[in-house]
Amino acid sequence: MKQRVAILGSTGSIGVNTLDVIGMHADRFEVFALTAATNVERMLAQCARFQPKFAVMADVVAGQDLQQRCQSAGLSVVVLSGAAAIADMARHPQVDSVMAAIVGAAGLAPCMAAAASGKRLLLANKEALVVGGQLFMDAVRAGGATLLPIDSEHSAIFQSLPEDPATWDGLVDKLILTASGGPFRTRAPETLRDVTPAQACAHPNWVMGRKISVDSATMMNKALEVIEARFLFGMAPNRIEVIIHPQSVIHSMVQFVDHSVVAQLGTPDMRGPIAYGLSWPQRIRSGAAAIDFNALAGLTFEPFTSADHQRRYPGLALAWRALEGPQGSTAVLNAANEIAVEAFLNGELRFDQIHQVNLLTMDRARFAAPQSLEALIELDQESRSVARAVLAALGQ
């Protein structure tokens, strides 16, 4: 039987790439549901090609627009709207696999719904783990879900680890996440105050959405990935390292107790980890180009310990600070960063002030450790309020 897939965030870069892979393997996969925020044009085109049973827009007005357009086009898709409907698709009894590609904390609730329903959950939304932390992992275990990482770094680690998770702690010395360094790896740190959104979104290796592109430029993306790796693989924070690898060919590595290292390599194309997640434990064609080792000039690495890199990427250290703090600290960091990046993209904040918003929000947030999804959502909202107050003060 075909694997029935719900894609949460189908109009973003991960969603588009997922549909591209599925399109190559129509004999194996069926698109059951698509969800998006506001991009009606792209959603309509996806509905016309893949004929899902359901299409859901987070925005009610966008949902009404999509419904009218689907009717005019003669499409039989059922159109729904709102966050609750997105969560319903994640837990729908006819769905086998859920690609979780909604950007930001908005993806937490549907990810929790998929986990509690025992789905095969392909996690491209790192914020679900960053915000949800151990509560999210507990939901995965309680629901009997299969959790497969889609971020290229975490997919690489997953592919490099032994098959039995019970052996990881005794066999693994450390996890090594690679980072490209983003578009400003060689730019003078003192000039970063003048960075524009267009410059920050021009990643040298990867094609990504605007928010994650900015996170890559500040290295907050890697900070969030450190947090994600800690919960995904149950590894202590001091056993997770980050190194700059500008070519983005080695996606991450595992160093074992005998100091041997296993790495996963591939061209910088998200269709690779997406195809692996969809087909695991098998493998299928992804559409990604093969590495041409004859043309590969070299693989290089740079530590973060240089003075310039410390000034370029001050936010990276916040990952370990958040992990060492009380439960909920990672949710505070994520909320602050979402507010700061949005303000930068809207021209309300300088690029070099993103870290200030994140740091000051973590300093000022006061909270009790969340014990439920509702408490996590409340903490997220409270942290955003603190971050907005910090943002307003910086603007004075």
Side-chain angles (χ1 to χ4, degrees):
M1 293 181 61
K2 292 183 181 181
Q3 189 180 138
R4 290 164 296 192
V5 183
I7 304 175
L8 313 182
S10 68
T11 60
S13 61
I14 295 294
V16 169
N17 279 317
T18 301
L19 287 171
D20 187 56
V21 174
I22 287 176
M24 296 182 221
H25 302 279
D27 59 321
R28 298 179 60 123
F29 306 104
E30 174 188 341
V31 178
F32 184 83
L34 299 174
T35 84
T38 60
N39 193 335
V40 173
E41 291 288 346
R42 181 168 286 177
M43 176 62 88
L44 181 64
Q46 292 176 343
C47 288
R49 179 181 176 191
F50 291 96
Q51 301 288 313
K53 298 291 190 301
F54 295 92
V56 185
M57 303 302 294
D59 181 78
V60 174
V61 174
Q64 293 170 345
D65 186 12
L66 179 65
Q67 184 169 29
Q68 292 173 356
R69 295 196 188 195
C70 284
Q71 289 175 347
S72 298
L75 300 176
S76 60
V77 59
V78 177
V79 178
L80 303 172
S81 301
I86 293 176
D88 287 342
M89 291 302 103
R91 65 168 69 91
H92 197 287
Q94 294 185 51
V95 168
D96 302 308
S97 298
V98 175
M99 170 59 77
I102 296 174
V103 175
L108 174 60
C111 282
M112 291 284 275
S117 302
K119 303 300 184 186
R120 181 187 181 106
L121 180 55
L122 283 62
L123 190 66
N125 170 278
K126 63 175 59 64
E127 290 86 357
L129 262 176
V130 172
V131 177
Q134 194 57 49
L135 285 175
F136 177 75
M137 294 304 298
D138 290 344
V140 169
R141 293 187 182 96
T146 300
L147 184 61
L148 298 167
I150 300 301
D151 271 354
S152 61
E153 295 83 359
H154 302 92
S155 176
I157 290 172
F158 182 70
Q159 294 180 59
S160 301
L161 283 166
E163 185 174 338
D164 184 4
T167 67
W168 292 352
D169 188 57
L171 296 179
V172 175
D173 183 23
K174 62 183 177 182
L175 309 180
I176 305 170
L177 297 170
T178 58
S180 69
F184 307 131
R185 181 177 61 86
T186 60
R187 179 164 170 160
E190 60 272 14
T191 69
L192 294 178
R193 63 177 288 125
D194 302 319
V195 162
T196 67
Q199 291 171 328
C201 292
H203 197 282
N205 298 339
W206 297 92
V207 177
M208 304 181 293
R210 282 162 61 81
K211 195 269 182 181
I212 193 173
S213 294
V214 175
D215 282 347
S216 181
T218 63
M219 208 57 70
M220 272 305 302
N221 189 46
K222 206 56 52 178
L224 299 179
E225 287 174 5
V226 168
I227 296 169
E228 187 181 4
R230 187 268 177 274
F231 291 112
L232 266 176
F233 305 114
M235 204 64 58
N238 63 359
R239 294 168 67 185
I240 304 172
E241 293 185 3
V242 176
I243 191 164
I244 292 180
H245 168 51
Q247 295 80 23
S248 296
V249 171
I250 297 177
H251 296 312
S252 277
M253 299 173 273
V254 176
Q255 179 172 301
F256 292 89
V257 292
D258 61 358
H259 290 173
S260 62
V261 176
V262 174
Q264 189 268 333
L265 283 68
T267 52
D269 188 326
M270 283 306 301
R271 291 177 298 176
I274 288 169
Y276 184 72
L278 284 168
S279 63
W280 180 88
Q282 301 174 345
R283 290 182 184 267
I284 57 175
R285 291 181 297 107
S286 68
I291 298 174
D292 184 355
F293 287 99
N294 293 315
L296 195 63
L299 302 177
T300 60
F301 305 92
E302 302 169 10
F304 277 99
T305 51
S306 72
D308 277 354
H309 281 340
Q310 293 290 315
R311 293 168 62 199
R312 283 189 191 97
Y313 313 118
L316 180 62
L318 295 180
W320 288 272
R321 172 178 166 175
L323 287 170
E324 291 164 359
Q327 182 174 309
S329 297
T330 57
V332 174
L333 174 58
N334 180 77
N337 187 61
E338 288 193 23
I339 292 297
V341 171
E342 181 182 24
F344 167 68
L345 288 172
N346 291 337
E348 301 165 1
L349 187 72
R350 292 200 319 263
F351 180 82
D352 63 327
Q353 292 178 311
I354 293 174
H355 174 63
Q356 289 179 260
V357 173
N358 295 340
L359 180 62
L360 291 172
T361 301
M362 291 189 71
D363 287 343
R364 297 177 186 180
R366 299 291 180 267
F367 57 93
Q371 301 298 325
S372 66
L373 173 60
E374 292 73 23
L376 279 171
I377 293 173
E378 183 177 349
L379 175 58
D380 175 73
Q381 294 303 313
E382 291 174 354
S383 301
R384 289 169 190 271
S385 295
V386 175
R388 290 187 185 100
V390 170
L391 184 64
L394 287 174
Q396 293 177 355

